[in-house]
Amino acid sequence: MAATARATPSDRPHIPVLLGPLLRAVAPVEGRWLDGTFGAGGYARGLLDAGAAEVIGVDRDPAVFDMATDWAGAYGDRLKLVQGTFSALDDHAGGPLDGVVLDLGVSSMQLDQPERGFSFMADGPLDMRMSQEGPSAADIVNTASEGELADILFHYGEERASRRIAKAIVKARAEAPITRTRELTRIVEACLPRPKPGQSHPATRTFQALRIAVNDEFGELVAGLEAAERALKPGGRLAVVSFHSLEDRVVKRFLQTRSGGAGRGSRYAPETTEQAPRFEAVAKSVEADEEELSHNPRARSARLRVARRTGAPAGPADRTALGLPKPIETRRN
Ligand SMILES: C[S@@+](CC[C@H](N)C(=O)[O-])C[C@H]1O[C@@H](n2cnc3c(N)ncnc32)[C@H](O)[C@@H]1O
């Protein structure tokens, strides 16, 4: 999800996005489901209340599970919680699934805790690690080359001033390492014009881009879609909610190519042999309606896609056909 100047205040809980449309699109809900982005558990609860016999709730952030202690016990053995990434959801599932849901991006709780470093709205350490381990945003900002930084901002944030901002970051870090969100925000603000009313904050794209790089969000997304294909039973449903156009493009193209609806990634790519469709579309993609937007502005950029698994054997996706942004490896100095 892209954070904007109008992000939710810190005392508001996470309101599940597009939950009603999702439950309607996957009805009837029965059998074993996996929620690969458990968060505050809104989807997992919705699925359990709608009739799922069992839900496996997966999240890479160890902090989310503490928030579930008040209510998870009421579902007994029907709810199992696993700390891990959804790229390995078939391993976490431990058997065939009737449904998989993915609600991509960060939660309001993560955004609203300054100490997690996801938001330019409050000062905190420049962290952004959902799993709370591995290299942080500060590691990337202080060690990647100017070219790598510009690539990250351009390809993951669609930031047109990527080179200007990368240059300013390299200049600032030569004085002292950049360790706080506020320092980075000020650097970006100095590179861009003041936003007009209604426009997003100038640091929105830079923070989105760094968060995607820190958490390898596109690597996770493609591996998660492939893992869902392996884990779903014939007839099982896959529902994905994305929060920005880069993410939605990958989900859309994955489902198109797996449904036999799209050709090669580029006209220079080799001809692939015809495969039986692994998914079939359930409905058109869905966005939040006015009613949902009125009480949850975070739903503004969300889009839901739902598909049904066929009986065709699973296989790896053709990554050249998915419209993935350029992969950027950062070399540490
Ligand atoms: C938008 S929130 C999900 C909110 C949830 N649907 C609810 O109703 O409360 C996204 C959650 O997914 C988690 N997440 C993001 N990428 C992940 C990944 N690759 N594997 C596992 N969890 C991930 C984040 O830590 C965050 O808690």
Side-chain angles (χ1 to χ4, degrees):
M1 156 193 157
T4 72
R6 293 161 293 176
T8 47
S10 58
D11 55 352
R12 257 198 253 169
H14 183 94
I15 308 171
V17 167
L18 289 172
L19 177 60
L22 182 147
L23 291 174
R24 284 192 288 279
V26 300
V29 179
E30 295 161 337
R32 302 185 74 229
W33 284 69
L34 184 141
D35 175 356
T37 51
F38 182 75
Y43 281 24
R45 283 170 99 158
L47 291 166
L48 286 161
D49 293 342
E54 181 188 345
V55 172
I56 301 144
V58 177
D59 204 294
R60 69 192 301 181
D61 185 347
V64 303
F65 301 112
D66 292 342
M67 289 180 306
T69 48
D70 286 352
W71 57 269
Y75 293 97
D77 289 349
R78 292 175 62 209
L79 176 62
K80 297 192 175 59
L81 299 177
V82 180
Q83 193 209 331
T85 53
F86 59 61
S87 52
L89 71 84
D90 49 340
D91 293 337
H92 303 314
L97 293 168
D98 295 279
V100 170
V101 293
L102 298 175
D103 180 15
L104 303 173
V106 269
S107 67
S108 309
M109 292 84 63
Q110 289 165 329
L111 265 181
D112 293 349
Q113 287 175 310
E115 64 274 21
R116 301 299 301 272
F118 285 106
S119 173
F120 49 78
M121 303 280 285
D123 190 35
L126 195 50
D127 189 323
M128 303 195 193
R129 295 169 302 170
M130 292 183 198
S131 305
Q132 304 191 23
E133 60 185 27
S136 67
D139 290 326
I140 293 182
V141 161
N142 290 300
T143 63
S145 70
E146 189 176 321
E148 287 163 352
L149 285 170
D151 277 353
I152 288 172
L153 302 187
F154 185 74
H155 292 287
Y156 295 164
E158 298 182 290
E159 174 56 76
R160 281 186 289 173
S162 55
R163 286 178 193 281
R164 206 181 318 150
I165 296 169
K167 196 177 172 89
I169 288 174
V170 169
K171 186 164 176 242
R173 78 187 188 194
E175 305 284 320
I178 302 160
T179 59
R180 310 285 302 177
T181 54
R182 183 156 293 155
E183 293 172 84
L184 180 63
T185 304
R186 289 207 175 120
I187 294 167
V188 178
E189 282 172 343
C191 292
L192 292 171
R194 265 176 191 280
K196 300 198 179 86
Q199 279 186 336
S200 58
H201 188 282
T204 305
R205 294 177 294 277
T206 294
F207 273 65
Q208 173 186 303
L210 283 169
R211 195 200 79 209
I212 289 173
V214 168
N215 297 288
D216 182 25
E217 292 184 28
F218 285 105
E220 275 293 310
L221 177 55
V222 177
L225 295 170
E226 289 175 332
E229 183 176 299
R230 290 193 295 274
L232 283 167
K233 291 177 188 168
R237 265 71 47 77
L238 171 63
V240 186
V241 173
S242 57
F243 278 88
H244 52 81
S245 54
L246 294 174
E247 216 166 54
D248 181 57
R249 182 173 67 198
V250 175
V251 178
K252 179 174 143 191
R253 293 209 185 160
F254 177 85
L255 292 176
Q256 273 176 346
T257 57
R258 310 312 262 174
S259 318
R264 288 172 283 167
S266 97
R267 63 199 158 111
Y268 305 109
E271 194 87 54
T272 47
T273 44
E274 277 300 305
Q275 303 273 4
R278 276 89 173 224
F279 282 97
E280 52 199 22
V282 165
K284 285 201 161 120
S285 70
V286 180
E287 291 175 83
D289 60 17
E290 287 304 320
E291 207 275 316
E292 177 164 1
L293 289 175
S294 68
H295 63 83
N296 192 6
R298 208 181 75 85
R300 187 169 61 253
S301 51
R303 189 183 282 272
L304 164 71
R305 293 186 186 273
V306 182
R308 188 183 298 108
R309 183 78 172 90
T310 67
D318 170 8
R319 285 167 195 240
T320 64
L322 301 182
L324 282 162
K326 181 182 160 191
I328 303 147
E329 297 292 334
T330 50
R331 288 180 304 278
R332 300 273 124 68
N333 293 331

